[in-house]
Amino acid sequence: MAELAKDFFWGGSIAAHQLEGAYQEGGKGLNTMDLFTGGAYGRPRQITEELQADTYYPSHQAIDFYHRYQEDIQMFGDMGFRALRISIDWSRIFPRGDEEEPSREGLDYYHKVIDELRKHKIEPIVTLFHFELPVGIVRNYNSWLSRETIDLYLKFVETVVGEYKGKVNYWVTFNEMNHIDPQTEVSDLFTYILAGLEYSKMQDKKQTLAVLGYHMTLASVKAAKMIRKIDAGNQVGCVFGLTPYYPKTCRPEDMLLSFQDTIRDFYQIDAMVWGEFPKYKMFEYQREGISLEITEADRVAFREGTLDFIGLNYYASAVSSAVKEEGAQEAMFGGELNPYLEKSDWGWTIDPIGLRYLMNFVYRKYQKPIIICENGLGAADEVSETGEIRDDYRIDYLGKHLGQLKKAVLEDGVECFGYLMWAPIDLVSATTGEMKKRYGFIYVDKHDDGSGDLSRKPKASYYWYKEMIASNGENL
């Protein structure tokens, strides 16, 4: 079998709100994720309108990457990372979201992070919106329901992209905006994560979600044009969290439903790749009594702001069944859990072949380069009496998924230029707020009761991934 490209981006992905901490330092303003309490498997995180005394907010300290980025990037460099996806917290650059001038302290901080990555020959891939929405944008502009928020986002984008011109070549406009429309009670927190608006409090849910999704999509295409205007060499993508659905039976109804479930979240990608907001989505909105304001300027923006690449976040597949059977377990983003697959400690199915299926589905639909931006296993790692962390289950998980990625590239012809594992270091889980749900190659001594000295320690998977990068995946 042929080999992966020598410049394949091996690395990882992180997000500011899940690891930086220092939520009141460096001139930072409050973002919506700073209002999320801790949670647990089966106990959803809560959102408070104001900060409450004696309430634990995991993002406030997180793993203190803000002060320890040099140590962490050194460890990534020692592993041989070729790329790291980071996010720039909007509230560190414009604390309220709408200031006339950006925070010099915030801009300087990310200069230091990016310079440290460059020092270790790690390509920075920068996400411009990974859920870090300034609270002021929600309170003063009604979040993404307002077109003013699009303009404020574009000002943030122009500021950041211009500031790091020549240092950053790969930009991501949004992370997982497709989850704006919850399909289950468990996933409805994503509406708040993305928009700072509680799903349960929406008066007209369908209309509100349609406007939110449209405005974020419009913001993305406008940003894409702007980013390339600032530097024609910039590459622009958007990252989507996608779930492939399998029919539960060979009943035609199950097959049709599995297709509908799989493509449910693709309308935003269609708009960003094909240069036009999809007619089928407008037909759906018209049928449901939903109205959107689409101007001629919007139509031009869609034509001029198409993507250079597509980022995929993949964790699990699900099952579609037109006949709801009693006792079937619900998957996080809709559908059912596949009874033929094993599950993680947090109830997510483990399906390596699903990654290959999804890569083929997306690439054959769009013919755009793909980068895997998130894929990983949350597990309750434990330190042994000898101080070792033997996460062989993570090695097995990653090895099987990377084996399928390699088949997608080398046997199926999918154009994939990188794999960024989520997350290369333990951090706060976005869905549960836990530290117990660990993903990293690097163990962080931080626990859900707030205890721990924040020291870092490589796990067994750290050395496995280092060898895998050194061989460029030859032994997968």
Side-chain angles (χ1 to χ4, degrees):
M1 183 186 292
E3 297 301 319
L4 295 170
K6 297 301 181 185
D7 59 354
F8 189 82
F9 278 159
W10 295 107
S13 283
I14 56 177
H17 70 94
Q18 291 172 265
L19 87 170
E20 278 184 4
Y23 88 108
Q24 289 182 313
E25 295 184 51
K28 181 185 175 307
L30 202 66
N31 69 48
T32 51
M33 297 307 297
D34 293 326
L35 297 173
F36 269 74
T37 69
Y41 182 32
R43 178 169 59 84
R45 304 181 75 176
Q46 301 299 309
I47 308 105
T48 62
E49 292 188 9
E50 304 286 345
L51 294 179
Q52 298 177 353
D54 302 321
T55 298
Y56 178 55
Y57 298 94
S59 71
H60 290 191
Q61 185 189 44
I63 64 166
D64 197 30
F65 179 84
Y66 186 83
H67 296 109
R68 298 167 182 256
Y69 68 90
Q70 290 175 304
E71 175 187 358
D72 294 341
I73 292 172
Q74 172 76 54
M75 295 183 78
F76 299 151
D78 289 346
M79 293 176 73
F81 271 29
R82 299 175 188 170
L84 183 75
R85 182 169 73 110
I86 66 173
S87 69
I88 290 181
D89 186 337
W90 187 347
S91 66
R92 284 202 187 278
I93 310 304
F94 292 98
R96 292 192 314 270
D98 64 354
E99 287 87 351
E100 285 296 318
E101 298 296 329
S103 165
R104 189 69 252 169
E105 197 169 359
L107 291 170
D108 287 346
Y109 167 70
Y110 289 110
H111 266 296
K112 291 186 288 187
V113 172
I114 292 167
D115 288 346
E116 193 69 18
L117 289 169
R118 287 288 180 197
K119 172 183 166 183
H120 291 279
K121 297 181 172 54
I122 299 173
E123 186 77 30
I125 299 174
V126 176
T127 304
L128 292 158
F129 186 83
H130 198 134
F131 314 151
E132 296 104 6
L133 181 65
V135 169
I137 295 289
V138 179
R139 293 175 178 167
N140 300 322
Y141 300 94
N142 207 15
S143 185
W144 293 100
L145 289 174
S146 166
R147 282 183 176 251
E148 289 176 283
T149 298
I150 299 176
D151 294 334
L152 292 170
Y153 168 74
L154 293 174
K155 181 178 179 179
F156 162 67
V157 171
E158 184 175 29
T159 300
V160 167
V161 176
E163 184 73 21
Y164 307 118
K165 181 179 178 179
K167 291 185 177 183
V168 177
N169 304 308
Y170 293 86
W171 298 92
V172 169
T173 56
F174 284 82
N175 180 77
E176 294 190 356
M177 66 160 74
N178 58 289
H179 289 325
I180 195 72
D181 186 357
Q183 302 299 313
T184 67
E185 186 176 346
V186 174
S187 69
D188 70 12
L189 88 158
F190 273 90
T191 304
Y192 194 100
I193 285 175
L194 282 157
L197 303 173
E198 289 194 59
Y199 179 72
S200 61
K201 294 182 179 180
M202 292 180 181
Q203 296 301 309
D204 186 342
K205 290 182 172 60
K206 289 185 177 181
Q207 174 70 32
T208 301
L209 293 171
V211 173
L212 287 170
Y214 177 75
H215 282 174
M216 295 173 86
T217 307
L218 180 61
S220 179
V221 296
K222 286 189 170 187
K225 179 184 177 181
M226 176 184 288
I227 292 166
R228 286 189 290 263
K229 183 178 180 181
I230 292 170
D231 186 341
N234 282 332
Q235 294 288 298
V236 186
C238 190
V239 171
F240 303 90
L242 299 177
T243 302
Y245 286 80
Y246 308 145
K248 190 169 186 176
T249 71
C250 54
R251 286 193 294 258
E253 294 85 355
D254 285 356
M255 186 64 214
L256 177 61
L257 183 59
S258 71
F259 171 74
Q260 292 169 332
D261 286 343
T262 296
I263 65 165
R264 180 182 61 227
D265 288 348
F266 275 68
Y267 77 95
Q268 292 166 321
I269 318 179
D270 286 348
M272 294 183 207
V273 171
W274 301 125
E276 179 184 27
F277 197 78
K279 293 183 176 67
Y280 67 81
K281 198 65 177 176
M282 294 305 297
F283 175 82
E284 175 189 320
Y285 286 161
Q286 184 178 22
R287 187 185 63 209
E288 296 182 355
I290 295 169
S291 60
L292 289 181
E293 176 194 352
I294 300 180
T295 68
E296 183 55 36
D298 291 355
R299 294 186 177 92
V300 172
F302 281 111
R303 290 196 295 271
E304 296 181 345
T306 56
L307 298 178
D308 297 310
F309 65 89
I310 297 170
L312 295 183
N313 293 350
Y314 170 77
Y315 291 97
S317 59
V319 170
S320 299
S321 177
V323 178
K324 305 305 177 186
E325 297 180 9
E326 190 174 342
Q329 291 183 282
E330 186 177 61
M332 183 170 184
F333 294 108
E336 300 175 5
L337 295 182
N338 191 329
Y340 293 98
L341 298 174
E342 62 176 315
K343 297 193 290 288
S344 73
D345 295 342
W346 272 259
W348 295 19
T349 53
I350 298 173
D351 179 13
I353 293 176
L355 176 60
R356 182 181 180 182
Y357 174 85
L358 182 64
M359 290 174 68
N360 271 277
F361 191 100
V362 172
Y363 185 69
R364 293 181 185 220
K365 182 171 170 55
Y366 299 113
Q367 294 287 287
K368 289 281 185 181
I370 289 169
I371 181 169
I372 305 304
C373 285
E374 292 183 27
N375 173 240
L377 177 69
D381 301 331
E382 295 185 4
V383 182
S384 71
E385 292 182 1
T386 61
E388 296 178 304
I389 302 105
R390 296 294 315 177
D391 58 339
D392 296 330
Y393 38 84
R394 181 167 292 110
I395 293 171
D396 180 68
Y397 176 99
L398 294 174
K400 289 176 178 176
H401 281 78
L402 286 170
Q404 293 298 322
L405 178 150
K406 192 172 179 180
K407 287 182 177 181
V409 174
L410 302 180
E411 295 183 18
D412 306 334
V414 174
E415 188 179 355
C416 176
F417 64 96
Y419 176 86
L420 308 176
M421 177 267 201
W422 184 271
I425 186 169
D426 293 345
L427 40 63
V428 176
S429 167
T431 52
T432 67
E434 293 173 289
M435 282 299 304
K436 181 182 178 181
K437 187 182 182 185
R438 299 178 181 274
Y439 282 90
F441 299 121
I442 301 166
Y443 183 89
V444 179
D445 186 30
K446 175 72 181 293
H447 307 281
D448 292 327
D449 61 2
S451 65
D453 63 10
L454 296 171
S455 60
R456 276 63 163 152
K457 179 189 290 287
K459 305 175 188 178
S461 59
Y462 178 99
Y463 301 104
W464 174 84
Y465 198 58
K466 180 176 181 176
E467 291 180 4
M468 196 277 307
I469 293 175
S471 72
N472 202 37
E474 182 179 349
N475 298 324
L476 290 170

